[in-house]
Every structure is written in C-alpha cells, then in structure tokens.
Amino acid sequence: MSGEGCNMFKKISEMHEGFCISHHHIQFTQAEKDFRTLAMIEEVNEYMNAETKAEELDALVDVVIFALGTAERQGMLDVFKSAYLRVMKANSKKIVGGNAKRNNFQIDLVKPEGWEPASLEDLVESSKQIEMNFGE
C-alpha cells in the first residue's frame, strides 16, 4: 500500500462529482472560500494538537484533501500540477535560514535578495477559459 495507482486529482474530482458539488455543478462563492479556509485551519490545528503519528498523518491528509478539493471547486485542478512545478522551481531558489515571521526556525526556506515568485497568471487565465467552455 504505497500509493500505487492513487491519482489524488482524479479521486477528488470523483468525490465531488459523486456528491454533485464539483465546479461543474455549483459556483464557488466567497462564503465557500471562507468555509474552506476555516476547514484548512481546523486541520492544521488538528495537526498541531495531534498526540500520535497516526493523528498527525490523518491531519496532513485532510489538509491535502481540502486544498485539492478547493482547487477543484475553483476549477483549477487541471492546472494545479503545472502550478505546483513552477512554485517548487521558484522555491528551490530560496536559501536555508531563519524567518522572523516563523520564530526564526533555522531550517526554513527564505527568499534571498532578488528572488522571484512563480508566475501563475497564465494558468489562472487558462483555467478561467476552461471553466467558461464547460459552462456553454
């Protein structure tokens, strides 16, 4: 059980389709964004308060499920992998060090001078176009 054949994107899409809550069925609203933000915070809090490795793992999986579910609900699941790879490439140009915003933990990744974030605008525009095409 090492995850062979596990396509998380497909599983999220299937779950949302099964409950008729995919972005094809229901429009994403600010109220849902607020709900999903609180849900992800709740899962992070569960991780922080976990007392066993199993509880930590459960909370981490739930964070990923809510994050991918939110991407699906916003019609961005189709571009998520490309966005992930771009963000990872940009993050690989950071340096190891302390970040005052996060208690100066010394194995954080921090932005060096001149660091540029990943550009995702074309993916968002592409996603909007795909969403508009589905609506026709």
Side-chain angles (χ1 to χ4, degrees):
M1 285 193 84
S2 63
E4 296 94 4
C6 178
N7 181 331
M8 290 185 280
F9 296 164
K10 183 178 179 190
K11 296 279 187 196
I12 291 291
S13 292
E14 289 172 349
M15 182 174 68
H16 284 189
E17 286 291 336
F19 287 112
C20 295
I21 62 169
S22 81
H23 70 282
H24 301 292
H25 298 286
I26 302 171
Q27 186 173 12
F28 190 83
T29 63
Q30 182 63 46
E32 183 174 358
K33 183 176 181 180
D34 295 344
F35 155 74
R36 288 182 166 279
T37 300
L38 291 172
M40 287 186 270
I41 290 169
E42 177 184 330
E43 297 303 336
V44 169
N45 285 332
E46 285 184 18
Y47 174 77
M48 289 174 55
N49 296 317
E51 295 181 6
T52 67
K53 292 290 185 189
E55 289 173 350
E56 290 173 346
L57 181 58
D58 178 71
L60 290 171
V61 171
D62 284 340
V63 168
V64 171
I65 289 170
F66 267 106
L68 291 178
T70 302
E72 189 287 323
R73 287 290 297 124
Q74 291 188 265
M76 294 189 284
L77 204 55
D78 60 317
V79 296
F80 197 90
K81 182 177 178 183
S82 295
Y84 172 85
L85 292 172
R86 289 182 192 184
V87 170
M88 286 298 292
K89 183 176 180 182
N91 285 348
S92 71
K93 295 177 181 166
K94 292 181 178 181
I95 58 174
V96 176
N99 184 332
K101 293 189 296 185
R102 294 189 284 261
N103 295 328
N104 283 317
F105 184 69
Q106 290 303 302
I107 56 170
D108 197 355
L109 297 180
V110 295
K111 302 169 187 171
E113 189 171 329
W115 181 84
E116 293 287 330
S119 174
L120 306 177
E121 291 301 320
D122 63 310
L123 297 177
V124 175
E125 292 304 316
S126 168
S127 184
K128 285 181 184 174
Q129 185 60 45
I130 290 168
E131 179 67 16
M132 287 187 288
N133 290 340
F134 279 127
E136 294 175 349

